Amino acid sequence: MDLPGWVSIAPPLVAIVAALVSRQVLPSLFVGVWVGAWLVEGLTFTGLFSGLLAVANRWVLEALAPPDGDTSHASIVVFTVLIGGLVGIIARNGGTLGVVDTVTRWATNRRRGQTATGALGFAIFFDDYANTLVVGNSMRPVTDRLRISREKLAYLVDSTSAPVASIALISTWIGFEVGLIDEALDTAGVDANAYGVFVSSIAYRFYPVLALVLVFAVALMARDIGPMRAAERRAIGGSPASDGDLAATTDPELSPKDGAPHRLLNAVVPLVVLVGGTIGFLFVTGEGSSVRDIVGSADSYASLVYASVLAVVVAGAMTVGQRILSLGETVQAWFAGVKSVVYVLIVLVLAWALSAVADELGTAQYVADLLGEGLPLWVVPAVLFVVAAATAFATGTSWGTMAILMPLAVPLTVAVAESAGQTGDALLPALYASVSTVLAGAVWGDHVSPISDTTVLSSLASGCDPVAHVRTQAPYALLAGGVSVGALLLVGLGVPWWLVWLPAAAAVVLGLRVLGEHIEEPDEPDEPREVDVREQRAAAAERP
């Protein structure tokens, strides 16, 4: 059956609308794949049923094991599983808290306490969930003692977790991001290394970096914007937690075993093996006369898998060798970490399936042909950032947003650039900028969405009310996001990215200076103690 071209946009459009309505990514992606399979099978009642069966029997199966024998998807799944397991081991053996202890020894006042929280967010770069849970729960007693509000702690935790993990060269995000980029490049017919595109796109990833700049500017300048000012004044007055704050939570399976030493080396050594091993294997598997040529031609998937295997073995050997955990307990810790990334893997496989069925229908080509001649190239990165931000805000998921938009963004950018006469190497800056804006816009939407998983996790780990967290964090996200859009427009107009960074960072700091208000340091803090929300509520009830 011949179908009109506009029908080809139905699968991703249905996925987006379903995600907006249901606020659930998994069923939305599934329905999108089902609609696409129905279109492929034929718009009949029989096709509807056979399309449902084909979702699992063809599209999901081929996402994991493509007919052409490509093993990149399987490599990404293996790498993500291994990294999740590594996170579980170093969390359970106390290594992650060793990093925490090292950072917190320096925190003696409000400025240092906030700076230490931000620095700890940098240190735990390999996973946003681990970052959120570890930093929030570990720093909460410290920030309570220093009279830093729970809202400020939640902001510092949330604004360093996803931004750091999304741009780190080694993290649980990278397999997902590189997988989406690889699929989109194939769809657009671009012959480029997905890992190389990911690395090059970091130069255009304005929002995550500016969000991190703003975190440290807030900490060092002691200035706050909007509702955060009231929260900080309340904390300085002796009430870090408000009446509406939650009891904090910790994931027991990813908490250190009772009596486990908090040794920094138990986290640092495996991570050094992971990072160093990846770099080393990139050079082993690549070839060329320059670093860029070597990395660009290297087998990034194999390098990530090799290094993650070595890191897991080293972490396990150190844990068992020091008798912190038995061999069985180490395996259980590894499996607990694996369970934490199962959701990610399911989203990724469904995203691959949606991309494959859209490719079969020619979705990307239709969108590219439709907009390619009418949309100026210089606005494409900024438009993609806004679309990704809005989608992530409405759905509450940066991962789902990336999965839905990346297969459309890359072909669209290629078509617009080619219509503007930019091909070959001249196309690459626009490609890097567009890839980066989908990833960065998704993080922005995640930061201001009250239904985001990281918003909820940051709130719970910090003992803060989620609504209060969103309300106090939004002004900072808007400031960094607004400057990011301006920076992307400048890049689109032809200004080199390296000329844009310093003015963009200065604009964020200036915005904080103009919009923010200085918060005075309190008197000498009390002895360290955990603030009990129930005690505060009882005391408030006794007041006349």
Side-chain angles (χ1 to χ4, degrees):
M1 179 186 296
D2 292 330
L3 299 173
W6 61 266
V7 174
S8 65
I9 67 173
L13 184 61
V14 167
I16 293 173
V17 172
L20 292 174
V21 173
S22 67
R23 304 187 189 279
Q24 295 292 325
V25 174
L26 289 181
S28 301
L29 286 171
F30 180 85
V31 170
V33 176
W34 184 7
V35 169
W38 182 24
L39 292 172
V40 172
E41 296 288 328
L43 282 175
T44 64
F45 180 78
T46 304
L48 179 65
F49 181 72
S50 61
L52 174 62
L53 300 180
V55 169
N57 190 48
R58 177 185 174 184
W59 299 108
V60 169
L61 187 63
E62 291 183 0
L64 291 169
D68 60 4
D70 184 10
T71 61
S72 59
H73 288 179
S75 296
I76 291 169
V77 170
V78 172
F79 165 71
T80 304
V81 166
L82 289 170
I83 289 294
L86 176 64
V87 170
I89 292 174
I90 65 177
R92 191 67 173 156
N93 70 13
T96 303
L97 284 187
V99 177
V100 172
D101 292 345
T102 301
V103 173
T104 55
R105 291 192 193 104
W106 181 73
T108 57
N109 56 42
R110 278 174 49 84
R111 276 192 175 89
R112 287 190 171 191
Q114 294 177 61
T115 305
T117 303
L120 190 56
F122 262 95
I124 307 177
F125 61 87
F126 45 84
D127 181 69
D128 57 329
Y129 285 178
N131 184 311
T132 296
L133 292 171
V134 170
V135 177
N137 284 291
S138 302
M139 290 301 296
R140 189 178 60 254
V142 178
T143 55
D144 281 348
R145 177 178 65 85
L146 297 174
R147 298 182 186 177
I148 298 170
S149 68
R150 296 281 180 85
E151 291 91 336
K152 174 62 73 63
L153 175 60
Y155 160 68
L156 296 173
V157 167
D158 203 2
S159 291
T160 54
S161 57
V164 169
S166 69
I167 61 176
L169 297 180
I170 303 294
S171 74
T172 53
W173 282 55
I174 190 171
F176 183 81
E177 292 176 316
V178 171
L180 294 177
I181 294 170
D182 185 52
E183 192 76 21
L185 290 174
D186 286 344
T187 301
V190 177
D191 184 16
N193 180 276
Y195 187 80
V197 171
F198 168 81
V199 174
S200 299
S201 73
I202 294 176
Y204 302 86
R205 208 83 64 88
F206 290 104
Y207 176 72
V209 176
L210 293 179
L212 294 171
V213 169
L214 189 55
V215 162
F216 288 99
V218 167
L220 296 174
M221 295 171 64
R223 302 185 76 85
D224 284 299
I225 304 173
M228 189 69 80
R229 291 195 293 258
E232 286 294 86
R233 291 194 184 98
R234 185 199 69 234
I236 290 174
S239 299
S242 68
D243 291 345
D245 283 341
L246 307 172
T249 185
T250 305
D251 185 346
E253 290 190 308
L254 296 177
S255 299
K257 180 184 177 181
D258 292 340
H262 299 175
R263 290 178 183 149
L264 178 67
L265 287 179
N266 287 338
V268 171
V269 172
L271 292 177
V272 168
V273 170
L274 178 62
V275 176
T278 300
I279 295 173
F281 284 119
L282 285 173
F283 279 86
V284 170
T285 59
E287 56 185 20
S289 58
S290 67
V291 173
R292 179 168 183 172
D293 290 339
I294 294 173
V295 173
S297 64
D299 189 340
S300 58
Y301 300 113
S303 301
L304 292 168
V305 171
Y306 295 156
S308 57
V309 168
L310 292 179
V312 169
V313 171
V314 168
M318 292 180 67
T319 302
V320 176
Q322 297 172 71
R323 298 182 179 179
I324 299 173
L325 301 175
S326 67
L327 179 59
E329 290 172 328
T330 302
V331 173
Q332 289 176 349
W334 179 86
F335 187 65
V338 171
K339 288 192 294 184
S340 70
V341 298
V342 168
Y343 177 84
V344 169
L345 292 175
I346 296 173
V347 170
L348 183 55
V349 170
L350 287 175
W352 284 333
L354 180 62
S355 177
V357 75
D359 186 40
E360 179 83 9
L361 293 169
T363 304
Q365 189 60 49
Y366 173 76
V367 173
D369 291 342
L370 183 65
L371 299 177
E373 297 181 0
L375 191 65
L377 181 60
W378 67 275
V379 303
V380 170
V383 168
L384 288 175
F385 178 87
V386 173
V387 171
T391 303
F393 170 78
T395 61
T397 168
S398 55
W399 288 65
T401 297
M402 291 185 286
I404 292 170
L405 293 182
M406 189 63 74
L408 301 178
V410 172
L412 171 62
T413 302
V414 171
V416 175
E418 289 179 347
S419 68
Q422 296 188 11
T423 59
D425 290 344
L427 164 68
L428 294 180
L431 177 65
Y432 299 151
S434 295
V435 166
S436 72
T437 53
V438 171
L439 304 178
V443 173
W444 184 92
D446 215 26
H447 274 170
V448 295
S449 174
I451 59 173
S452 162
D453 51 358
T454 53
T455 295
V456 175
L457 277 178
S458 299
S459 302
L460 292 176
S462 304
C464 175
D465 174 53
V467 175
H469 169 43
V470 171
R471 185 168 52 86
T472 52
Q473 178 169 262
Y476 301 97
L478 288 169
L479 173 58
V483 174
S484 298
V485 171
L488 290 169
L489 290 173
L490 289 175
V491 168
L493 289 170
V495 180
W497 62 264
W498 51 270
L499 282 179
V500 177
W501 273 111
L502 185 58
V508 166
V509 175
L510 180 62
L512 177 63
R513 175 73 182 178
V514 172
L515 300 175
E517 182 177 326
H518 181 69
I519 303 296
E520 297 292 338
E521 287 281 341
D523 298 330
E524 187 69 21
D526 302 329
E527 289 300 310
R529 75 180 186 92
E530 177 76 30
V531 174
D532 192 319
V533 176
R534 289 173 296 182
E535 290 180 5
Q536 288 192 348
R537 290 175 179 169
E542 292 174 0
R543 296 191 193 107

